[in-house]
Amino acid sequence: MDNLLEVNNLHVSFDTYGGEVKAVRGVDFSVKKGETLAIVGESGSGKSVTTKALMGLIPSPPGRIKEGEILFEGKDLTKMKDKELSKIRGKDIAMIFQDPMTSLNPTMKVGNQIMEGLIKHQKKSRSDAKKRALELLELVGIANAEERLKQYPHQFSGGMRQRVVIAIALACNPKLLLADEPTTALDVTIQAQILEVMKDIQKEMESGIVFITHDLGVVANVADRVAVMYAGKIVEIGKVDDIFYNPKHPYTWGLLGSMPSLDSNDDELYAIPGSPPDLMHPPKGDAFAPRSDFAMKIDFEQEPPMFKVSDDHYAATWLLHENAPAVQPPKSVQTRMKGTTQESAGGDGV
């Protein structure tokens, strides 16, 4: 299947008074039609900057795409002028932002905000746009849609506002949906409902989704593939089962080890020691080495290439080199891996 989106060697920098911040440093990934790719990592790893680059929303100055290409249906978005991009934004590529209160215009009725894209991109009349807006509110699970169209964002709860943001993003049936931590500010119950809405809508529209999150629990429920980002780079990428049950990079081990698990008897959650590096002065070698218990001398000297684990699974760690010593993941990660092995072998699993 051809890729809907293909990102090749993407570099994004920000020029500050202190110097150049290299926020994204050579990112490669692709998304197929109907597929969900989750990008995970700590705050500051480059997830949101990558997503905004896909939409052409990097503020210039101080930001700029230094290098690379973003191919959407074979066309390079980095070569397009803002006028060309504005025809794609909202129509073919739509974005669900993290905070619905800042995404919505507080002075406009919700109905007008949903109808805006329909009138601009699909040239619908106001009556047809209103009819579609009603359908979208019902699609995302908002009752009394007719009445709700006439209300302002402050009259909605946080979960309802996020549903409105999703309705706006879906208004023009986008081929690619970018979701930047769309459930972070919501409680667990509403979060589950929003994720269910997104999955149902994807099935209906066959949209590709890039889902940004730091919550690995969310990833397990929504993603087909997962890209793990650290210090502006993708350090591991694979199918969701590869990342959860056969992880290879020490950073992925750390993220999984810090997740609560019913299988663990530990009283305390694991926390990755140290802090992410300063991307104004990226470290030599593997950027995660100073925080890793498994770092070798070469990690501080040379950056590891992407080693192939399987046709769909790659990881940038020297531990996969043929001459590297054999090491075992932390106990908490091994427990998770063993649990899945039993399930796939036909055990009870639960």
Side-chain angles (χ1 to χ4, degrees), residues 88-149:
I88 293 174
R89 289 192 206 111
K91 180 176 180 285
D92 295 321
I93 305 177
M95 189 163 184
I96 303 169
F97 292 95
Q98 185 171 350
D99 183 1
M101 203 56 200
T102 57
S103 304
L104 296 170
N105 186 333
T107 67
M108 279 179 71
K109 291 178 181 177
V110 158
N112 289 335
Q113 296 191 56
I114 300 173
M115 290 159 61
E116 190 175 31
L118 293 164
I119 294 168
K120 179 183 176 182
H121 292 299
Q122 296 195 340
K123 311 300 180 189
K124 288 184 180 289
S125 65
R126 282 196 65 83
S127 60
D128 286 344
K130 183 180 177 181
K131 186 178 177 182
R132 177 59 178 155
L134 283 169
E135 291 172 357
L136 286 162
L137 283 187
E138 288 167 359
L139 181 67
V140 298
I142 292 181
N144 304 318
E146 183 87 45
E147 188 62 33
R148 289 293 197 174
L149 280 180

Side-chain angles (χ1 to χ4, degrees), residues 27-89:
V27 161
D28 300 276
F29 64 85
S30 61
V31 180
K32 291 180 170 60
K33 186 178 178 181
E35 179 185 46
T36 298
L37 172 73
I39 302 180
V40 303
E42 295 167 289
S43 296
S45 60
K47 308 184 303 295
S48 293
V49 173
T50 300
T51 316
K52 286 174 182 171
L54 301 182
M55 284 286 281
L57 295 177
I58 299 296
S60 176
R64 57 199 163 94
I65 294 177
K66 281 184 67 179
E67 192 181 337
E69 56 183 11
I70 300 168
L71 301 176
F72 175 69
E73 294 189 317
K75 297 175 184 175
D76 191 352
L77 302 184
T78 66
K79 301 264 194 306
M80 291 186 184
K81 294 180 179 177
D82 198 57
K83 192 173 181 180
E84 294 175 278
L85 281 171
S86 67
K87 293 177 183 176
I88 293 174
R89 289 192 206 111

Side-chain angles (χ1 to χ4, degrees), residues 289-307:
R291 304 176 68 190
S292 174
D293 294 332
F294 305 92
M296 301 175 287
K297 184 180 177 183
I298 193 171
D299 285 303
F300 295 93
E301 297 171 350
Q302 293 182 42
E303 187 178 313
M306 273 285 190
F307 288 95

Side-chain angles (χ1 to χ4, degrees), residues 250-299:
Y251 180 60
T252 312
W253 295 347
L255 292 178
L256 290 168
S258 61
M259 283 177 65
S261 172
L262 295 175
D263 297 321
S264 174
N265 297 319
D266 294 340
D267 294 329
E268 294 182 9
L269 274 178
Y270 171 79
I272 301 172
S275 302
D278 176 6
L279 291 183
M280 200 177 293
H281 307 287
K284 189 179 178 183
D286 186 342
F288 187 62
R291 304 176 68 190
S292 174
D293 294 332
F294 305 92
M296 301 175 287
K297 184 180 177 183
I298 193 171
D299 285 303

Side-chain angles (χ1 to χ4, degrees), residues 123-331:
K123 311 300 180 189
K124 288 184 180 289
S125 65
R126 282 196 65 83
S127 60
D128 286 344
K130 183 180 177 181
K131 186 178 177 182
R132 177 59 178 155
L134 283 169
E135 291 172 357
L136 286 162
L137 283 187
E138 288 167 359
L139 181 67
V140 298
I142 292 181
N144 304 318
E146 183 87 45
E147 188 62 33
R148 289 293 197 174
L149 280 180
K150 304 169 190 172
Q151 295 180 338
Y152 291 90
H154 72 270
Q155 295 174 278
F156 290 71
S157 68
M160 289 294 183
R161 282 195 293 265
Q162 192 62 292
R163 288 169 188 257
V164 170
V165 170
I166 292 173
I168 292 170
L170 296 171
C172 297
N173 301 327
K175 297 171 183 175
L176 179 66
L177 189 61
L178 309 176
D180 187 1
E181 307 216 26
T183 59
T184 297
L186 307 177
D187 65 59
V188 176
T189 307
I190 302 300
Q191 186 182 81
Q193 291 174 7
I194 294 292
L195 293 174
E196 200 60 41
V197 166
M198 288 183 65
K199 283 162 68 178
D200 290 344
I201 287 164
Q202 184 185 35
K203 283 179 189 173
E204 186 176 318
M205 297 184 176
E206 290 192 320
S207 304
I209 297 179
V210 177
F211 194 99
I212 306 294
T213 184
H214 62 267
D215 187 342
L216 282 168
V218 169
V219 168
N221 293 322
V222 300
D224 299 302
R225 290 189 302 129
V226 181
V228 181
M229 269 193 95
Y230 184 74
K233 286 179 171 286
I234 290 176
V235 296
E236 186 162 7
I237 188 166
K239 291 183 177 177
V240 72
D241 281 355
D242 293 331
I243 300 302
F244 273 83
Y245 306 120
N246 188 28
K248 296 298 181 184
H249 198 285
Y251 180 60
T252 312
W253 295 347
L255 292 178
L256 290 168
S258 61
M259 283 177 65
S261 172
L262 295 175
D263 297 321
S264 174
N265 297 319
D266 294 340
D267 294 329
E268 294 182 9
L269 274 178
Y270 171 79
I272 301 172
S275 302
D278 176 6
L279 291 183
M280 200 177 293
H281 307 287
K284 189 179 178 183
D286 186 342
F288 187 62
R291 304 176 68 190
S292 174
D293 294 332
F294 305 92
M296 301 175 287
K297 184 180 177 183
I298 193 171
D299 285 303
F300 295 93
E301 297 171 350
Q302 293 182 42
E303 187 178 313
M306 273 285 190
F307 288 95
K308 182 177 178 179
V309 181
S310 69
D311 287 343
D312 301 302
H313 187 189
Y314 294 82
T317 171
W318 286 115
L319 292 174
L320 291 174
H321 192 277
E322 58 183 8
N323 295 328
V327 298
Q328 292 296 318
K331 196 180 295 183

Side-chain angles (χ1 to χ4, degrees), residues 245 263 333-344 349-350:
Y245 306 120
D263 297 321
V333 180
Q334 288 186 50
T335 302
R336 188 179 300 278
M337 291 163 69
K338 285 177 183 174
T340 307
T341 305
Q342 289 170 0
E343 287 176 40
S344 55
V350 180

